[in-house]
Amino acid sequence: GEGIKTENIRPLYGIDEISRLDAAGQKVLVDFAKRERFQLLFAAPELKPSYSCTLYNLKRIFTPEAKLIIRASRFRPKAEPVAA
């Protein structure tokens, strides 16, 4: 194969404890990342986004052997009703 082209590589930035920011603050970071073409990795015990994103849930299981289970969920904001 031709391998990975440099123009297809997007930097990845990790942010821990993102749940300390409110939904509006999280969305500002997401919009900025989209505009500047980089990826964000948010670490939080729980996250309920109000913006479009893919969430990955990582769960470690250590018995009887070590395993890592990864589940992906895509979120899309609900459309606001239009006033008549």
Side-chain angles (χ1 to χ4, degrees), residues 5-72:
K5 297 180 181 179
T6 56
E7 63 267 13
N8 293 332
I9 297 175
R10 294 174 51 189
L12 173 68
Y13 293 93
I15 302 173
D16 196 10
E17 298 291 336
I18 192 65
S19 55
R20 292 184 182 194
L21 279 178
D22 64 3
Q26 293 172 15
K27 186 174 184 322
V28 166
L29 288 174
V30 170
D31 290 344
F32 179 69
K34 286 179 182 177
R35 187 173 58 249
E36 298 299 321
R37 297 196 35 77
F38 64 86
Q39 302 173 83
L40 288 173
L41 173 67
F42 289 167
E46 185 175 327
L47 192 62
K48 296 179 182 173
S50 60
Y51 44 84
S52 295
C53 67
T54 301
L55 291 181
Y56 295 91
N57 179 298
L58 281 64
K59 182 176 183 180
R60 292 184 194 165
I61 299 174
F62 293 102
T63 55
E65 58 190 42
K67 294 181 185 179
L68 178 63
I69 299 171
I70 303 171
R71 293 188 177 106

